[in-house]
Amino acid sequence: MTDLLSKFDPLIQQRDDLLSSGLTDPFALVMEKVESPTVAICNGRRTILLGTYNYMGMTFDPDVVAAGKQALDEFGSGTTGSRVLNGTYVGHKAVEEALKDFYAMDHAMVFSTGYQANLGIISTIAGKEDYIILDIDSHASIYDGCALGNAQIVPFRHNDIEALEKRLKRLPPEAGKLVILEGVYSMLGDVAPLKEMVAVCKAAGAMVLVDEAHSMGFIGERGRGVAEAQGVIDDVDFIIGTFSKSVGTVGGFCVSNPPKFEILRLVCRPYVFTASLPPSVVATAATSIRKLMDSADKRAHLWENSKRLHAGLRQLGFKLGTDEPQSAIIAVLMPDLETGAAMWEALLDEGLYVNLARPPATPAGMTLLRCSLCALHTNEQVGEILGMFAAAGRATGCIS
Ligand SMILES: Cc1ncc(COP(=O)(O)O)c(C=O)c1O
């Protein structure tokens, strides 16, 4: 018998080497209790959460929790069915209405995760004769959506407007083209130049899909994302998003204006061939999305938090993923995986949780400590976080 798992031997070795020094496994943390969007108990101690993507802190919102409980009582624990069979309840229609209102768009289609939304929409709309032109730093779910479909894939250099234009110009003018961009790129927290890129796409006759997973709720005047902030939301053909970040639950969606959009409900396999979200989940999502429309104060506070943390970390001597804070993600660059893991553990010992990110998820082989801020982090917590970075950074030799 050929051991099919032997292909993972190098990774198993790397993991064993890392843990042989007694280091805590950074990819196996258990949250023993979650007290709020910003605090949990991990390894028996109070830990500030700075790596949850819970940007708007909706997970413990009383209205959101109440809506989930009511739906659980009234509709039961799950739908046990696909959206196109027995899995569409009034709650699924209600969350799609909330999304249409939130984005002021004509159509909304809800999937069981954001991953499946990318998988489904990308593989369904771009066919055999079509081209997908995508930023090379795109999220795994975008690449997997491409792999599931039959279109030809044309990557271009990250956030490079000229490279995008050049690629588009080389393609047959009559061919179907889908350009895929993200509002905020989740590894470094940098924002796409959507205004310029969307203009280039329109000039080349390409349709545009923007994944706003990390900007929904926070960026843009009404929280509609980078496309709203840069004034191009009406030129974007498809927006993909998730309920697993600012919305505070689980699920994914696509909103769109083209009138033929609704046909996708019948042909999109990751929508048809899977069970729909539980009633409690769609009820929490709908309540949360409607509250996010009027959350300008929280958005302003989250910007303040991001700016303060970015400036503070820089002042301490850490290298960061962006020169200026561009989103609620602040990436701290580590020299290698060993130092990154040691720093991650030192922060956890201080009482702070951040995400350790490493290749292949990261661009250019980087090891990163990714911080994602929450609108509910208090000024005191941001101060505590900076103190913890200072202590852990000195203990591990990351800063002097
Ligand atoms: C850019 C991007 N798109 C899509 C997703 C998938 O979202 P979900 O967690 O809902 O599957 C993520 C999740 O990390 C993401 O970062």
Side-chain angles (χ1 to χ4, degrees), residues 97 105 112 125 228:
E97 286 305 313
M105 287 204 170
S112 299
I125 62 178
E228 181 192 30

Side-chain angles (χ1 to χ4, degrees), residues 113-115 118 139 141 182 186 211 213-214 242-245 251-252:
T113 64
Y115 178 88
N118 270 330
H139 187 259
S141 58
E182 292 180 36
S186 65
D211 183 330
H214 292 274
T242 175
F243 297 161
S244 72
K245 306 192 194 303

Side-chain angles (χ1 to χ4, degrees), residues 2-33:
T2 306
D3 180 6
L4 293 171
L5 298 178
S6 61
K7 59 175 85 61
F8 304 113
D9 286 348
L11 191 59
I12 291 169
Q13 189 61 50
Q14 187 196 46
R15 187 168 174 273
D16 288 350
D17 291 347
L18 199 64
L19 301 183
S20 63
S21 60
L23 197 84
T24 311
D25 186 348
F27 304 109
L29 182 80
V30 176
M31 307 251 168
E32 287 136 29
K33 191 170 184 317

Side-chain angles (χ1 to χ4, degrees), residues 46-378:
R46 175 185 175 271
T47 304
I48 297 182
L49 300 173
L50 191 67
T52 62
Y53 309 115
N54 193 353
Y55 299 120
M56 298 297 280
M58 299 305 282
T59 46
F60 281 78
D61 180 278
D63 297 328
V64 169
V65 172
K69 283 181 180 166
Q70 193 182 341
L72 194 57
D73 284 343
E74 290 179 7
F75 291 94
S77 58
T79 69
T80 71
S82 157
R83 286 296 306 274
V84 295
L85 296 173
N86 57 308
T88 295
Y89 291 10
V90 284
H92 297 83
K93 298 313 281 179
V95 74
E96 288 178 344
E97 286 305 313
L99 283 166
K100 286 195 263 178
D101 290 347
F102 184 88
Y103 283 100
M105 287 204 170
D106 294 341
H107 306 281
M109 193 168 158
V110 165
F111 292 77
S112 299
T113 64
Y115 178 88
Q116 281 166 277
N118 270 330
L119 218 56
I121 295 294
I122 294 169
S123 63
T124 309
I125 62 178
K128 206 166 177 213
E129 311 296 323
D130 303 324
Y131 291 87
I132 293 175
I133 305 93
L134 85 171
D135 188 294
I136 201 155
D137 285 357
S138 293
H139 187 259
S141 58
I142 293 174
Y143 276 106
D144 292 356
C146 295
L148 188 65
N150 297 311
Q152 301 213 43
I153 312 302
V154 183
F156 65 91
R157 210 169 74 163
H158 178 56
N159 270 352
D160 188 330
I161 304 161
E162 260 179 46
L164 167 63
E165 194 167 24
K166 262 193 209 156
R167 298 286 182 285
L168 281 168
K169 279 191 174 150
R170 269 190 224 144
L171 300 177
E174 69 289 354
K177 303 175 198 81
L178 176 68
V179 174
I180 304 182
L181 306 167
E182 292 180 36
V184 171
Y185 286 86
S186 65
M187 286 300 146
L188 297 178
D190 55 333
V191 159
L194 286 189
K195 190 168 182 222
E196 294 79 4
M197 287 187 154
V198 170
V200 163
C201 296
K202 294 288 127 177
M207 290 186 110
V208 184
L209 179 154
V210 180
D211 183 330
E212 296 269 22
H214 292 274
S215 38
M216 181 192 187
F218 171 39
I219 295 184
E221 195 187 341
R222 307 232 21 214
R224 291 175 187 158
V226 177
E228 181 192 30
Q230 297 189 13
V232 290
I233 195 158
D234 292 337
D235 294 323
V236 171
D237 301 283
F238 308 95
I239 291 179
I240 295 281
T242 175
F243 297 161
S244 72
K245 306 192 194 303
S246 285
V247 178
T249 178
V250 66
F253 64 87
C254 179
V255 288
S256 184
N257 280 327
K260 293 176 197 161
F261 184 80
E262 291 297 323
I263 198 63
L264 295 180
R265 291 188 200 270
L266 294 184
V267 291
C268 180
R269 295 168 69 89
Y271 178 84
V272 174
F273 293 102
T274 195
S276 65
L277 288 167
S280 54
V281 167
V282 284
T284 55
T287 307
S288 178
I289 291 163
R290 293 208 178 273
K291 289 193 88 167
L292 287 177
M293 291 185 202
D294 300 309
S295 297
D297 290 352
K298 281 170 91 177
R299 287 190 261 284
H301 182 64
L302 184 49
W303 271 122
E304 275 171 33
N305 282 348
S306 298
K307 286 177 189 162
R308 188 161 157 228
L309 185 67
H310 191 282
L313 289 173
R314 245 187 146 178
Q315 210 167 14
L316 285 171
F318 289 102
K319 279 202 189 121
L320 305 181
T322 56
D323 290 342
E324 300 294 328
Q326 296 184 18
S327 67
I329 299 172
I330 294 169
V332 183
L333 275 52
M334 292 284 113
D336 50 56
L337 181 59
E338 289 69 29
T339 316
M343 178 72 187
W344 179 87
E345 187 177 47
L347 285 172
L348 193 65
D349 290 345
E350 289 286 326
L352 182 66
Y353 173 76
V354 299
N355 298 138
L356 177 66
R358 62 167 187 190
T362 52
M366 290 186 208
T367 297
L368 304 170
L369 291 178
R370 272 184 322 155
C371 308
S372 49
L373 284 141
C374 174
L376 299 190
H377 280 127
T378 60

